[in-house]
Short mmCIF file of all heavy atoms in Angstrom, two decimals:
data_model
loop_
_atom_site.label_atom_id
_atom_site.label_comp_id
_atom_site.label_asym_id
_atom_site.label_seq_id
_atom_site.Cartn_x
_atom_site.Cartn_y
_atom_site.Cartn_z
N ALA F 541 88.76 181.42 -35.29
CA ALA F 541 88.70 182.84 -34.99
C ALA F 541 87.23 183.36 -35.00
O ALA F 541 86.90 184.18 -34.15
CB ALA F 541 89.60 183.65 -35.92
N ALA F 542 86.46 183.04 -35.93
CA ALA F 542 85.10 183.43 -36.02
C ALA F 542 84.34 182.93 -34.79
O ALA F 542 83.40 183.64 -34.19
CB ALA F 542 84.40 182.91 -37.27
N GLU F 543 84.53 181.59 -34.38
CA GLU F 543 83.82 181.09 -33.16
C GLU F 543 84.30 181.86 -31.93
O GLU F 543 83.50 182.18 -31.05
CB GLU F 543 84.40 179.58 -33.04
CG GLU F 543 83.98 179.04 -31.72
CD GLU F 543 82.48 178.62 -31.67
OE1 GLU F 543 81.79 178.67 -32.68
OE2 GLU F 543 82.00 178.14 -30.57
N LEU F 544 85.57 182.18 -31.80
CA LEU F 544 86.02 182.95 -30.65
C LEU F 544 85.48 184.39 -30.56
O LEU F 544 85.08 184.80 -29.62
CB LEU F 544 87.62 183.02 -30.62
CG LEU F 544 88.15 183.73 -29.49
CD1 LEU F 544 87.85 183.15 -28.17
CD2 LEU F 544 89.71 183.80 -29.57
N LEU F 545 85.33 184.96 -31.79
CA LEU F 545 84.72 186.30 -31.87
C LEU F 545 83.28 186.30 -31.30
O LEU F 545 83.00 187.20 -30.51
CB LEU F 545 84.71 186.70 -33.32
CG LEU F 545 84.05 188.19 -33.56
CD1 LEU F 545 84.97 189.28 -32.86
CD2 LEU F 545 84.04 188.46 -35.02
N GLY F 546 82.60 185.22 -31.67
CA GLY F 546 81.15 185.08 -31.11
C GLY F 546 81.17 184.95 -29.62
O GLY F 546 80.40 185.51 -28.97
N LEU F 547 82.19 184.28 -29.10
CA LEU F 547 82.19 184.02 -27.69
C LEU F 547 82.58 185.32 -26.88
O LEU F 547 82.04 185.58 -25.79
CB LEU F 547 83.20 182.90 -27.35
CG LEU F 547 82.75 181.51 -27.75
CD1 LEU F 547 83.90 180.46 -27.66
CD2 LEU F 547 81.55 180.93 -26.83
N LEU F 548 83.56 185.97 -27.54
CA LEU F 548 84.02 187.23 -26.78
C LEU F 548 82.92 188.30 -26.75
O LEU F 548 82.91 189.09 -25.77
CB LEU F 548 85.25 187.75 -27.72
CG LEU F 548 86.54 187.04 -27.58
CD1 LEU F 548 87.62 187.64 -28.60
CD2 LEU F 548 87.08 187.01 -26.18
N ALA F 549 82.03 188.25 -27.67
CA ALA F 549 80.92 189.28 -27.64
C ALA F 549 80.13 189.01 -26.40
O ALA F 549 79.41 190.00 -26.02
CB ALA F 549 80.10 189.06 -28.94
N HIS F 550 80.00 187.91 -25.84
CA HIS F 550 79.28 187.62 -24.63
C HIS F 550 80.14 187.50 -23.42
O HIS F 550 79.57 187.08 -22.37
CB HIS F 550 78.55 186.25 -24.87
CG HIS F 550 77.50 186.23 -25.98
ND1 HIS F 550 76.27 186.84 -25.89
CD2 HIS F 550 77.60 185.73 -27.19
CE1 HIS F 550 75.53 186.61 -27.07
NE2 HIS F 550 76.40 185.98 -27.86
N HIS F 551 81.36 187.96 -23.50
CA HIS F 551 82.20 187.93 -22.32
C HIS F 551 81.61 188.85 -21.17
O HIS F 551 81.01 189.90 -21.46
CB HIS F 551 83.56 188.38 -22.68
CG HIS F 551 84.61 188.38 -21.54
ND1 HIS F 551 84.65 187.28 -20.69
CD2 HIS F 551 85.34 189.38 -21.05
CE1 HIS F 551 85.57 187.59 -19.73
NE2 HIS F 551 86.07 188.80 -19.97
N LEU F 552 81.91 188.46 -20.00
CA LEU F 552 81.38 189.24 -18.89
C LEU F 552 81.93 190.66 -18.68
O LEU F 552 81.22 191.43 -18.13
CB LEU F 552 81.74 188.44 -17.57
CG LEU F 552 81.13 186.97 -17.52
CD1 LEU F 552 81.66 186.26 -16.33
CD2 LEU F 552 79.64 186.98 -17.53
N GLY F 553 83.21 190.83 -19.05
CA GLY F 553 83.77 192.09 -18.79
C GLY F 553 84.10 192.89 -20.04
O GLY F 553 83.86 192.47 -21.22
N PRO F 554 84.75 194.10 -19.83
CA PRO F 554 85.09 195.00 -20.99
C PRO F 554 86.26 194.56 -21.74
O PRO F 554 86.49 194.94 -22.90
CB PRO F 554 85.33 196.38 -20.28
CG PRO F 554 85.79 196.00 -18.97
CD PRO F 554 85.03 194.79 -18.55
N ASP F 555 87.15 193.71 -21.16
CA ASP F 555 88.23 193.21 -21.91
C ASP F 555 88.61 191.79 -21.31
O ASP F 555 87.94 191.45 -20.33
CB ASP F 555 89.47 194.26 -21.78
CG ASP F 555 89.73 194.63 -20.41
OD1 ASP F 555 89.33 193.92 -19.45
OD2 ASP F 555 90.51 195.60 -20.16
N ILE F 556 89.66 191.24 -21.87
CA ILE F 556 89.90 189.88 -21.46
C ILE F 556 91.39 189.64 -21.70
O ILE F 556 92.03 190.21 -22.61
CB ILE F 556 89.04 188.79 -22.35
CG1 ILE F 556 89.04 187.46 -21.62
CG2 ILE F 556 89.49 188.82 -23.70
CD1 ILE F 556 88.01 186.56 -22.25
N ASP F 557 91.98 188.62 -21.01
CA ASP F 557 93.40 188.17 -21.16
C ASP F 557 93.36 186.86 -21.86
O ASP F 557 92.32 186.25 -22.11
CB ASP F 557 94.17 188.19 -19.93
CG ASP F 557 93.74 187.29 -18.91
OD1 ASP F 557 92.89 186.44 -19.24
OD2 ASP F 557 94.25 187.34 -17.68
N LEU F 558 94.63 186.31 -22.17
CA LEU F 558 94.69 185.08 -22.92
C LEU F 558 94.17 183.97 -22.10
O LEU F 558 93.35 183.11 -22.61
CB LEU F 558 96.13 184.88 -23.20
CG LEU F 558 96.41 183.42 -23.89
CD1 LEU F 558 95.78 183.23 -25.14
CD2 LEU F 558 98.06 183.27 -24.01
N GLY F 559 94.48 183.86 -20.77
CA GLY F 559 93.90 182.86 -20.01
C GLY F 559 92.46 182.65 -19.95
O GLY F 559 91.84 181.67 -20.01
N ALA F 560 91.87 183.83 -19.73
CA ALA F 560 90.41 183.81 -19.69
C ALA F 560 89.65 183.49 -21.08
O ALA F 560 88.76 182.81 -21.14
CB ALA F 560 89.92 185.26 -19.29
N ALA F 561 90.41 183.96 -22.12
CA ALA F 561 89.85 183.64 -23.48
C ALA F 561 89.94 182.10 -23.74
O ALA F 561 89.03 181.60 -24.32
CB ALA F 561 90.62 184.41 -24.53
N ALA F 562 91.09 181.54 -23.30
CA ALA F 562 91.20 180.17 -23.45
C ALA F 562 90.15 179.32 -22.71
O ALA F 562 89.49 178.30 -23.15
CB ALA F 562 92.62 179.65 -23.03
N ALA F 563 89.90 179.86 -21.45
CA ALA F 563 88.79 179.19 -20.61
C ALA F 563 87.41 179.31 -21.31
O ALA F 563 86.58 178.52 -21.36
CB ALA F 563 88.74 179.71 -19.21
N LEU F 564 87.18 180.59 -21.82
CA LEU F 564 85.95 180.90 -22.64
C LEU F 564 85.77 179.89 -23.79
O LEU F 564 84.65 179.46 -24.02
CB LEU F 564 85.84 182.29 -22.94
CG LEU F 564 84.64 182.88 -23.72
CD1 LEU F 564 83.46 182.77 -22.65
CD2 LEU F 564 84.85 184.31 -24.17
#
Side-chain angles (χ1 to χ4, degrees):
E543 170 77 6
L544 181 58
L545 180 65
L547 289 169
L548 291 174
H550 295 283
H551 179 53
L552 302 171
D555 53 17
I556 196 169
D557 64 10
L558 172 61
L564 182 65

